[in-house]
Amino acid sequence: MIFSIASVALLAGCSDSGADTDGDGIITAEEVATEINNVALEPGEWENRVEIVDVSLKGLPEGAPAGMMDRMKGTVTTTKSCITPEQAENPGANFFAAQEETNCEVKKFNMSGGSVSSEMVCTNMGGAPGNMTLAMDGQYGSGDYDMTMTMNGGANGMQMNMTAKSSGKRIGECPAG
């Protein structure tokens, strides 16, 4: 879920002052969506790739499989998605949908000149107790993006830290059907 939010958020952007356009210190979903809608996103089929670079989990319960965290390192997930011309013209609409499904607060969201830097704090994701901070830094264009994401948080005596690289690019027209 978080990677989906991150990918949608990073396929866009454009303001030197960041998303907090009214200067009140609170970045609303509407302010982020407005910034996202300033992008010239290319419609078509996109390939999105996420690689787990590093992961650690402290406080695992007794009986957790040995080496579980080491096996996650280097894991790559590749997905494809189709962005319609309508979605490309209004990418902020997807951000609204993602925000409604999570309990996340955007703390920072700055995109300009092809660079992006953002931070979100999420609580009780999917009904599970705990807090998670997600930070993203990288580069974007109308037909590609490349970023590094860090996630840090925990609950019930467990603490997780993860670093992932995410990239995406337009690979052609959407398949028929």
mmCIF file of all heavy atoms in Angstrom, residues 58-76:
data_model
loop_
_atom_site.group_PDB
_atom_site.id
_atom_site.type_symbol
_atom_site.label_atom_id
_atom_site.label_comp_id
_atom_site.label_asym_id
_atom_site.label_seq_id
_atom_site.Cartn_x
_atom_site.Cartn_y
_atom_site.Cartn_z
ATOM 1 N N LYS A 58 13.683 -5.387 14.741
ATOM 2 C CA LYS A 58 14.096 -5.702 16.112
ATOM 3 C C LYS A 58 12.856 -6.061 16.907
ATOM 4 O O LYS A 58 11.784 -5.517 16.686
ATOM 5 C CB LYS A 58 14.799 -4.494 16.737
ATOM 6 C CG LYS A 58 16.083 -4.149 16.059
ATOM 7 C CD LYS A 58 16.707 -2.939 16.679
ATOM 8 C CE LYS A 58 17.966 -2.576 15.875
ATOM 9 N NZ LYS A 58 18.511 -1.298 16.295
ATOM 10 N N GLY A 59 13.042 -6.987 17.845
ATOM 11 C CA GLY A 59 11.936 -7.374 18.707
ATOM 12 C C GLY A 59 11.037 -8.433 18.103
ATOM 13 O O GLY A 59 9.865 -8.517 18.466
ATOM 14 N N LEU A 60 11.582 -9.241 17.178
ATOM 15 C CA LEU A 60 10.784 -10.325 16.597
ATOM 16 C C LEU A 60 10.356 -11.300 17.690
ATOM 17 O O LEU A 60 11.115 -11.576 18.620
ATOM 18 C CB LEU A 60 11.598 -11.090 15.556
ATOM 19 C CG LEU A 60 11.725 -10.466 14.177
ATOM 20 C CD1 LEU A 60 12.743 -11.231 13.343
ATOM 21 C CD2 LEU A 60 10.384 -10.447 13.486
ATOM 22 N N PRO A 61 9.157 -11.845 17.582
ATOM 23 C CA PRO A 61 8.715 -12.829 18.578
ATOM 24 C C PRO A 61 9.522 -14.120 18.486
ATOM 25 O O PRO A 61 10.091 -14.434 17.435
ATOM 26 C CB PRO A 61 7.248 -13.057 18.228
ATOM 27 C CG PRO A 61 7.080 -12.566 16.837
ATOM 28 C CD PRO A 61 8.160 -11.563 16.586
ATOM 29 N N GLU A 62 9.545 -14.845 19.579
ATOM 30 C CA GLU A 62 10.201 -16.159 19.601
ATOM 31 C C GLU A 62 9.632 -17.037 18.494
ATOM 32 O O GLU A 62 8.442 -16.985 18.208
ATOM 33 C CB GLU A 62 9.977 -16.851 20.956
ATOM 34 C CG GLU A 62 10.836 -16.320 22.071
ATOM 35 C CD GLU A 62 12.311 -16.656 21.880
ATOM 36 O OE1 GLU A 62 12.652 -17.778 21.446
ATOM 37 O OE2 GLU A 62 13.134 -15.767 22.173
ATOM 38 N N GLY A 63 10.484 -17.802 17.857
ATOM 39 C CA GLY A 63 10.040 -18.717 16.817
ATOM 40 C C GLY A 63 10.009 -18.126 15.429
ATOM 41 O O GLY A 63 9.664 -18.814 14.471
ATOM 42 N N ALA A 64 10.374 -16.833 15.294
ATOM 43 C CA ALA A 64 10.419 -16.224 13.955
ATOM 44 C C ALA A 64 11.512 -16.921 13.147
ATOM 45 O O ALA A 64 12.572 -17.258 13.679
ATOM 46 C CB ALA A 64 10.705 -14.735 14.060
ATOM 47 N N PRO A 65 11.278 -17.159 11.865
ATOM 48 C CA PRO A 65 12.266 -17.870 11.038
ATOM 49 C C PRO A 65 13.620 -17.148 11.020
ATOM 50 O O PRO A 65 13.683 -15.938 10.819
ATOM 51 C CB PRO A 65 11.649 -17.876 9.645
ATOM 52 C CG PRO A 65 10.198 -17.586 9.844
ATOM 53 C CD PRO A 65 10.090 -16.790 11.099
ATOM 54 N N ALA A 66 14.688 -17.906 11.244
ATOM 55 C CA ALA A 66 16.041 -17.342 11.206
ATOM 56 C C ALA A 66 16.359 -16.839 9.804
ATOM 57 O O ALA A 66 16.017 -17.476 8.816
ATOM 58 C CB ALA A 66 17.055 -18.401 11.627
ATOM 59 N N GLY A 67 16.981 -15.689 9.715
ATOM 60 C CA GLY A 67 17.394 -15.145 8.430
ATOM 61 C C GLY A 67 16.269 -14.529 7.614
ATOM 62 O O GLY A 67 16.465 -14.199 6.443
ATOM 63 N N MET A 68 15.109 -14.374 8.219
ATOM 64 C CA MET A 68 13.947 -13.853 7.488
ATOM 65 C C MET A 68 14.249 -12.486 6.867
ATOM 66 O O MET A 68 13.937 -12.248 5.706
ATOM 67 C CB MET A 68 12.754 -13.745 8.436
ATOM 68 C CG MET A 68 11.492 -13.260 7.788
ATOM 69 S SD MET A 68 10.071 -13.350 8.908
ATOM 70 C CE MET A 68 10.393 -11.954 9.980
ATOM 71 N N MET A 69 14.879 -11.602 7.619
ATOM 72 C CA MET A 69 15.160 -10.256 7.123
ATOM 73 C C MET A 69 16.202 -10.283 6.001
ATOM 74 O O MET A 69 16.076 -9.571 5.013
ATOM 75 C CB MET A 69 15.647 -9.339 8.246
ATOM 76 C CG MET A 69 14.628 -9.074 9.325
ATOM 77 S SD MET A 69 13.199 -8.136 8.723
ATOM 78 C CE MET A 69 11.948 -9.383 8.635
ATOM 79 N N ASP A 70 17.215 -11.124 6.142
ATOM 80 C CA ASP A 70 18.248 -11.215 5.111
ATOM 81 C C ASP A 70 17.672 -11.697 3.784
ATOM 82 O O ASP A 70 18.110 -11.269 2.721
ATOM 83 C CB ASP A 70 19.382 -12.139 5.558
ATOM 84 C CG ASP A 70 20.232 -11.506 6.637
ATOM 85 O OD1 ASP A 70 20.284 -10.253 6.704
ATOM 86 O OD2 ASP A 70 20.833 -12.251 7.430
ATOM 87 N N ARG A 71 16.676 -12.574 3.836
ATOM 88 C CA ARG A 71 16.054 -13.071 2.599
ATOM 89 C C ARG A 71 15.269 -11.985 1.882
ATOM 90 O O ARG A 71 15.076 -12.046 0.675
ATOM 91 C CB ARG A 71 15.174 -14.281 2.890
ATOM 92 C CG ARG A 71 15.979 -15.542 3.166
ATOM 93 C CD ARG A 71 15.098 -16.778 3.163
ATOM 94 N NE ARG A 71 14.116 -16.811 4.230
ATOM 95 C CZ ARG A 71 14.339 -17.249 5.466
ATOM 96 N NH1 ARG A 71 15.538 -17.681 5.810
ATOM 97 N NH2 ARG A 71 13.374 -17.243 6.361
ATOM 98 N N MET A 72 14.801 -10.984 2.614
ATOM 99 C CA MET A 72 14.048 -9.898 1.988
ATOM 100 C C MET A 72 14.962 -8.954 1.199
ATOM 101 O O MET A 72 14.534 -8.384 0.198
ATOM 102 C CB MET A 72 13.295 -9.095 3.050
ATOM 103 C CG MET A 72 12.129 -9.837 3.650
ATOM 104 S SD MET A 72 11.293 -8.852 4.917
ATOM 105 C CE MET A 72 10.558 -7.561 3.925
ATOM 106 N N LYS A 73 16.205 -8.811 1.638
ATOM 107 C CA LYS A 73 17.140 -7.903 0.968
ATOM 108 C C LYS A 73 17.363 -8.350 -0.468
ATOM 109 O O LYS A 73 17.574 -9.516 -0.746
ATOM 110 C CB LYS A 73 18.472 -7.852 1.707
ATOM 111 C CG LYS A 73 18.377 -7.218 3.066
ATOM 112 C CD LYS A 73 19.708 -7.262 3.790
ATOM 113 C CE LYS A 73 19.545 -6.816 5.223
ATOM 114 N NZ LYS A 73 20.794 -6.971 5.990
ATOM 115 N N GLY A 74 17.295 -7.410 -1.372
ATOM 116 C CA GLY A 74 17.494 -7.714 -2.785
ATOM 117 C C GLY A 74 16.230 -8.161 -3.501
ATOM 118 O O GLY A 74 16.234 -8.331 -4.723
ATOM 119 N N THR A 75 15.131 -8.347 -2.764
ATOM 120 C CA THR A 75 13.872 -8.735 -3.383
ATOM 121 C C THR A 75 13.394 -7.621 -4.307
ATOM 122 O O THR A 75 13.373 -6.453 -3.925
ATOM 123 C CB THR A 75 12.800 -9.005 -2.306
ATOM 124 O OG1 THR A 75 13.260 -10.043 -1.446
ATOM 125 C CG2 THR A 75 11.480 -9.413 -2.943
ATOM 126 N N VAL A 76 13.026 -7.984 -5.523
ATOM 127 C CA VAL A 76 12.552 -7.018 -6.514
ATOM 128 C C VAL A 76 11.128 -7.393 -6.922
ATOM 129 O O VAL A 76 10.847 -8.549 -7.229
ATOM 130 C CB VAL A 76 13.463 -7.000 -7.764
ATOM 131 C CG1 VAL A 76 12.900 -6.068 -8.828
ATOM 132 C CG2 VAL A 76 14.882 -6.610 -7.388
#
